[in-house]
Amino acid sequence: MLGICRRRARFILISVPLLFIPALTWFFLFNGNFEDRTVTWSQYGDSQISRQHTSLGPSRSWTGVDEHHSHEAMELWAREVEEENMQLRRQLSEVQYELRAGRSVTISNASSLLPVEDSAGAEMVPLSKTRNSTECSRYPAVQKCELIHIAIVCAGHNASRDVVTLVKSILFHRRNPLHFHFITDDVAYRVLQTLFKTWMVPSLQIDFYNADALKSEVSWIPNKHYSGIYGLMKLVLTQTLPASLEKIIVLDTDITFATDIAELWVILRKFKGEQIIGLVENQSDWYLGNLWKNHKPWPALGRGFNTGVILLLLKRLRQMKWDQMWRLTAERELMSMLSTSLADQDIFNAVLKQNPFLVYQLPCFWNVQLSDHTRSEQCYKEVSDLKVIHWNSPKKLRVKNKHVEFFRNLYLTFLEYDGNLLRRELFGCANGNDLDSEALQRQLSELDEDDQCYDFRRERLTIHRTHLYFLHYEYTPLPDGNDVTLVAQLSMDRLQMLETICHHWEGPISLALYMSDGEAQHFLRYAQASEILSSRRNVGYHVVYKEGQFYPVNLLRNVALQQVTTPYAFLSDIDFIPMHGLYDYIRKSIDQLDMANSNKALIVPAFETLRYRFSFPKSKAELLSMLDLGTLYTFRYHVWTKGHGPTNYARWRTATTPYHVEWEADFEPYVVVRSDCPQYDRRFVGFGWNKVAHVMELDAQEYEFVVLPNAFMIHMPHAPSFDIAKFRSSQQYRACLKTLKEEFQQDMSRKYGYAALKYLTAEKNI
């Protein structure tokens, strides 16, 4: 209770001068007649406040001031008082905050709280003196719409996935246009190029640089670090990035931002003299050489510096012939060290050991390093102190740290954050020359919002953020040229089907997964924990992020089909389990039927079971027996006979050789075709006509439908989808589907001419 009273007393002591000083100041300013009198101001506040900069300074007095100088003196005095008044207001806001938080209040000198900015290269500033503060930064503000350049080396599937979380954290806090410079291998380029193209973030520029072309520049350096050769790529940024680029921020992929990156960018203006590299001190004892017996690290200044966050003045680095400097240093040190242990970081530190004047030491909160046994806790006292978190341990989120739960939760926040929400514009800043975005806006503006099918038409134009190859993928083409990829799409509620499909299909698989950011992370953990899924490297998982009210089934099919790298594709659905050995059987059939030189669509007959517990047939004979017993049925025979009736199941029962069937209205078999087949029509979303339209176009392009006599697939039971429920319950949904069908048929007639008239006739005869 006594503590609360004291805090309130301090609050009142600071508040009273704030109310009294402005009134008295303006009274003197507007009083033109100053009589001979003495005005004396004594210091205000209790003993604690008077010891700090909040006092109004020494006593000021005017005795017998002549009228000629009085007004000028009063204006000068008033300005001084106003400046001190502003300082009091800042402190009052701090006191109010502390009182609301229920903390004891101690107003400290502002200059003692500000981070150390000017650091001589030859003298390391201790971590305790580079801690953050709650005071306003003395750094000059970044100009509105000033473009900030960021360079990141990214290679492989895992790094491509990790870098997305970094980008999210930057986009979340940013208020300036950004230009990312990615140095990537082929895998990361394919992933990130598609991701950013479909993300469509305003005021964001992306450039890619081929890391494989730079390997020869650093491949001569033996490196024991888990990052491999790509961990050395930051050494060659001066020759990789455009010559016109003068400064840049360089980041590792395992970084999370907790503040606006503009605050880091502006520090580049604080470099003085020959300072050209900004780094944070290494927060472990690695470079001290005392971690174990005979531990011999590369040379470094004191604890050395960590290269997870780097500020570079590229223009001056080039002028100083940086490439020659680091090469000579590396060659000299490798004679005794033999290899690097921490990749580029070892070489950066060796250069700075010889040339300490080059380094500008950043406050340690710009790179809080969360490896085991670091001194990172000295970089922060409050949550607001955090700027950049660096997961620089191979253990990543499993690292040992006193506050690791807090850091992990912060990381998971961005990991599962909806990236679509980051598509916000920077008002007043040009969006750049994004032709795709302009074309999309033009198409959207042409839609009639009063159209009852507006939502369907808008969905066709929606650009869904897409992350290809979410998990590691490897595929080696077969020499015979008859390889085939199973293609399917799914959402989170069908995830349990993956293991069974992988067990039945040994060949490559291309899957499009429709998920939110959070669901994608759940899938990742599920796949990594599954022995079957984690052991497969020839399954490509392509995440299409949720957006809008419809399930974009044909978009998903197209995404999966576009990533097929084999000559042929088996167009399936996730609810179907292929028979054992179907992969090999299809490959033999492709060769026997000479599909390389003909337009054929090989039909795999579809069956279904209504039982969740089911013994899968090992052969056609066993399947026929189960069919006769009523354990199996031909697919949808009781609700949608037209969909698969043309397959002619009666003939299939006794067939021993492939046979030809004709297209009929509403035919939607599952087929094997060349992977360059027509794409699915995106106007069909949710339930209804999505496969029918595709098979119709195959027929229009004169594909020959051939049924495989010894192939089958079985549909497993599941709860009805939300889209089927909408189709059944909404008359407007059904009316729009009918409208879309008619428009598709009209488009077919315009595209294929007279031959497509049969589709209109067939529809009318039903």
Side-chain angles (χ1 to χ4, degrees):
M1 189 69 183
L2 182 60
I4 295 175
C5 294
R6 287 175 177 172
R7 290 195 293 271
R8 289 178 177 172
R10 296 190 186 105
F11 178 80
I12 294 171
L13 285 172
I14 296 176
S15 301
V16 171
L18 288 177
L19 298 174
F20 175 66
I21 295 171
L24 195 58
T25 299
W26 291 111
F27 170 78
F28 278 107
L29 280 176
F30 289 99
N31 188 349
N33 298 317
F34 298 104
E35 300 174 358
D36 291 344
R37 57 185 176 270
T38 300
V39 182
T40 303
W41 294 86
S42 61
Q43 295 177 321
Y44 285 91
D46 61 18
S47 59
Q48 181 183 7
I49 297 177
S50 65
R51 286 197 301 269
Q52 306 298 334
H53 66 284
T54 55
S55 67
L56 297 182
S59 300
R60 297 175 174 88
S61 62
W62 283 262
T63 305
V65 180
D66 62 59
E67 190 172 345
H68 179 70
H69 298 289
S70 62
H71 193 70
E72 180 180 350
M74 284 302 299
E75 286 182 342
L76 178 61
W77 174 82
R79 282 195 295 270
E80 293 177 356
V81 172
E82 281 299 309
E83 290 175 0
E84 293 172 342
N85 186 27
M86 290 176 64
Q87 183 70 16
L88 272 173
R89 287 182 183 276
R90 282 197 295 269
Q91 290 198 20
L92 177 60
S93 66
E94 292 178 7
V95 173
Q96 289 172 326
Y97 173 78
E98 297 290 345
L99 286 173
R100 286 195 298 267
R103 303 190 188 111
S104 60
V105 181
T106 302
I107 304 176
S108 57
N109 190 298
S111 61
S112 67
L113 289 175
L114 285 170
V116 176
E117 297 178 7
D118 301 325
S119 53
E123 183 178 352
M124 299 285 285
V125 180
L127 287 175
S128 59
K129 293 187 179 180
T130 61
R131 186 181 293 125
N132 196 7
S133 71
T134 57
E135 292 292 331
C136 298
S137 174
R138 290 184 292 175
Y139 304 140
V142 174
Q143 295 181 0
K144 180 179 176 62
C145 301
E146 180 178 346
L147 184 61
I148 297 174
H149 292 270
I150 306 162
I152 302 173
V153 178
C154 184
H157 299 90
N158 293 339
S160 301
R161 191 173 60 245
D162 294 340
V163 78
V164 176
T165 307
L166 163 61
V167 171
K168 281 183 181 180
S169 69
I170 294 174
L171 292 176
F172 181 85
H173 296 287
R174 67 108 176 217
R175 289 175 292 178
N176 283 73
L178 303 175
H179 189 159
F180 282 100
H181 302 261
F182 287 104
I183 297 88
T184 62
D185 64 351
D186 291 339
V187 169
Y189 170 74
R190 190 195 316 185
V191 172
L192 297 179
Q193 193 268 344
T194 301
L195 176 66
F196 284 106
K197 183 177 181 180
T198 55
W199 203 340
M200 301 186 75
V201 179
S203 303
L204 182 66
Q205 302 177 42
I206 307 293
D207 275 320
F208 294 95
Y209 308 84
N210 187 0
D212 293 333
L214 301 171
K215 285 184 177 180
S216 60
E217 301 292 334
V218 293
S219 59
W220 57 274
I221 304 174
N223 179 28
K224 295 180 180 179
H225 194 256
Y226 61 84
S227 60
I229 192 170
Y230 298 102
L232 299 165
M233 293 291 179
K234 285 183 281 188
L235 293 167
V236 295
L237 289 179
T238 52
Q239 63 187 85
T240 306
L241 299 174
S244 58
L245 189 57
E246 296 188 358
K247 56 185 179 180
I248 198 160
I249 298 172
V250 186
L251 303 173
D252 281 354
T253 58
D254 53 359
I255 292 287
T256 304
F257 267 78
T259 192
D260 189 349
I261 196 171
E263 297 179 31
L264 180 61
W265 176 256
V266 79
I267 298 178
L268 283 160
R269 302 178 186 173
K270 307 294 292 184
F271 286 22
K272 295 180 180 179
E274 296 180 281
Q275 293 172 339
I276 53 177
I277 302 174
L279 293 166
V280 170
E281 182 185 18
N282 197 48
Q283 291 157 22
S284 75
D285 292 344
W286 178 269
Y287 287 107
L288 298 181
N290 58 8
L291 293 183
W292 59 80
K293 187 177 180 181
N294 299 325
H295 174 217
K296 184 182 178 183
W298 278 56
L301 284 172
R303 291 185 170 275
F305 294 94
N306 183 278
T307 57
V309 177
I310 314 176
L311 301 184
L312 294 179
L313 294 180
L314 293 172
K315 181 178 180 180
R316 291 174 57 187
L317 277 170
R318 295 185 182 105
Q319 292 172 348
M320 296 186 65
K321 301 188 182 301
W322 165 255
D323 289 335
Q324 296 181 18
M325 184 182 295
W326 75 259
R327 286 175 189 275
L328 291 173
T329 301
E331 289 173 355
R332 182 182 65 250
E333 297 301 331
L334 284 171
M335 294 178 67
S336 59
M337 300 302 301
L338 303 182
S339 67
T340 61
S341 297
L342 300 181
D344 64 87
Q345 183 169 301
D346 284 338
I347 298 176
F348 269 99
N349 275 288
V351 172
L352 296 177
K353 176 72 171 180
Q354 296 295 320
N355 306 277
F357 52 86
L358 297 179
V359 68
Y360 177 99
Q361 185 177 345
L362 299 172
C364 69
F365 51 74
W366 283 115
N367 185 351
V368 178
Q369 300 149 38
L370 297 184
S371 55
D372 289 344
H373 311 300
T374 67
R375 303 164 73 240
S376 58
E377 295 175 21
Q378 298 186 25
C379 296
Y380 56 89
K381 283 186 175 179
E382 304 288 344
V383 173
S384 59
D385 294 342
L386 296 171
K387 300 289 187 181
V388 172
I389 300 168
H390 186 188
W391 302 90
N392 63 319
S393 166
K395 298 180 181 179
K396 301 306 177 186
L397 298 186
R398 300 187 304 275
V399 71
K400 296 178 181 179
N401 183 280
K402 181 179 179 180
H403 303 111
V404 69
E405 280 301 319
F406 171 81
F407 294 124
R408 187 182 292 123
N409 290 334
L410 180 63
Y411 174 82
L412 292 176
T413 297
F414 291 114
L415 185 71
E416 301 186 2
Y417 189 83
D418 185 353
N420 298 328
L421 300 178
L422 298 171
R423 290 169 168 163
R424 56 177 182 262
E425 290 190 41
L426 299 179
F427 294 109
C429 299
N431 192 19
N433 299 321
D434 190 342
L435 299 180
D436 291 338
S437 179
E438 293 176 2
L440 176 61
Q441 293 303 319
R442 187 164 54 251
Q443 290 176 305
L444 289 173
S445 65
E446 294 172 356
L447 296 179
D448 181 7
E449 295 189 21
D450 295 327
D451 181 359
Q452 67 171 352
C453 301
Y454 170 80
D455 291 335
F456 286 84
R457 304 189 193 284
R458 181 181 175 85
E459 174 58 37
R460 185 182 183 183
L461 299 176
T462 301
I463 306 297
H464 288 265
R465 183 166 45 101
T466 303
H467 189 132
L468 303 178
Y469 300 100
F470 198 71
L471 295 179
H472 186 79
Y473 177 79
E474 293 178 10
Y475 168 73
T476 303
L478 296 180
D480 59 11
N482 294 333
D483 209 358
V484 57
T485 299
L486 187 150
V487 175
Q489 42 73 37
L490 69 151
S491 55
M492 195 70 179
D493 59 345
R494 299 290 192 271
L495 203 59
Q496 73 278 2
M497 298 295 297
L498 290 181
E499 290 189 338
T500 306
I501 290 177
C502 287
H503 181 66
H504 281 245
W505 181 272
E506 303 86 0
I509 302 175
S510 182
L511 299 172
L513 302 92
Y514 193 57
M515 297 178 170
S516 66
D517 293 73
E519 288 174 340
Q521 297 307 315
H522 291 308
F523 158 70
L524 175 63
R525 291 190 286 272
Y526 171 80
Q528 291 174 337
S530 166
E531 291 184 10
I532 295 176
L533 301 185
S534 61
S535 64
R536 292 286 294 268
R537 290 289 181 264
N538 62 346
V539 181
Y541 300 98
H542 315 296
V543 176
V544 178
Y545 289 102
K546 286 183 175 180
E547 185 172 1
Q549 59 176 305
F550 296 105
Y551 184 78
V553 57
N554 278 356
L555 166 67
L556 298 173
R557 288 179 172 136
N558 287 340
V559 168
L561 182 57
Q562 289 162 4
Q563 301 311 312
V564 170
T565 56
T566 57
Y568 302 95
F570 173 29
L571 308 180
S572 181
D573 268 340
I574 199 65
D575 304 322
F576 282 87
I577 305 300
M579 74 175 197
H580 289 287
L582 182 60
Y583 171 61
D584 290 332
Y585 176 67
I586 288 177
R587 290 181 56 241
K588 292 177 182 178
S589 300
I590 289 172
D591 185 49
Q592 293 171 357
L593 296 171
D594 193 25
M595 285 188 65
N597 300 309
S598 60
N599 259 12
K600 286 187 175 69
L602 308 185
I603 296 174
V604 177
F607 299 84
E608 69 175 326
T609 179
L610 304 181
R611 301 181 180 182
Y612 285 90
R613 291 188 175 184
F614 172 70
S615 179
F616 201 91
K618 298 179 176 62
S619 64
K620 179 178 179 178
E622 191 172 333
L623 179 139
L624 291 174
S625 176
M626 298 174 73
L627 200 62
D628 294 336
L629 292 173
T631 308
L632 287 178
Y633 308 91
T634 55
F635 185 57
R636 292 292 185 259
Y637 83 99
H638 55 300
V639 293
W640 186 244
T641 306
K642 295 180 296 184
H644 294 266
T647 301
N648 194 346
Y649 287 98
R651 181 176 178 180
W652 182 83
R653 292 178 68 101
T654 59
T656 57
T657 59
Y659 60 91
H660 173 81
V661 296
E662 296 292 337
W663 174 89
E664 296 181 22
D666 294 324
F667 192 26
E668 52 177 4
Y670 293 95
V671 297
V672 178
V673 291
R674 290 199 307 266
S675 55
D676 62 352
C677 69
Q679 299 283 295
Y680 289 84
D681 195 292
R682 278 198 61 187
R683 82 186 77 197
F684 297 105
V685 296
F687 177 79
W689 250 63
N690 44 72
K691 289 195 303 293
V692 171
H694 186 249
V695 172
M696 183 183 292
E697 185 147 15
L698 291 178
D699 182 67
Q701 293 193 9
E702 300 181 346
Y703 274 72
E704 179 185 356
F705 295 100
V706 179
V707 180
L708 297 176
N710 295 308
F712 62 85
M713 59 196 300
I714 299 177
H715 180 268
M716 303 303 292
H718 57 78
S721 68
F722 180 64
D723 295 290
I724 292 179
K726 285 194 294 186
F727 173 80
R728 292 172 177 171
S729 62
S730 173
Q731 182 178 355
Q732 181 176 331
Y733 191 108
R734 296 191 296 273
C736 286
L737 180 59
K738 182 180 179 181
T739 300
L740 296 175
K741 287 167 57 178
E742 293 171 351
E743 292 174 356
F744 173 77
Q745 290 167 337
Q746 293 169 5
D747 290 344
M748 290 282 287
S749 297
R750 284 189 289 267
K751 186 175 182 179
Y752 296 104
Y754 177 79
L757 292 177
K758 70 175 183 178
Y759 307 120
L760 292 172
T761 306
E763 185 71 18
K764 291 178 181 178
N765 292 336
I766 294 176

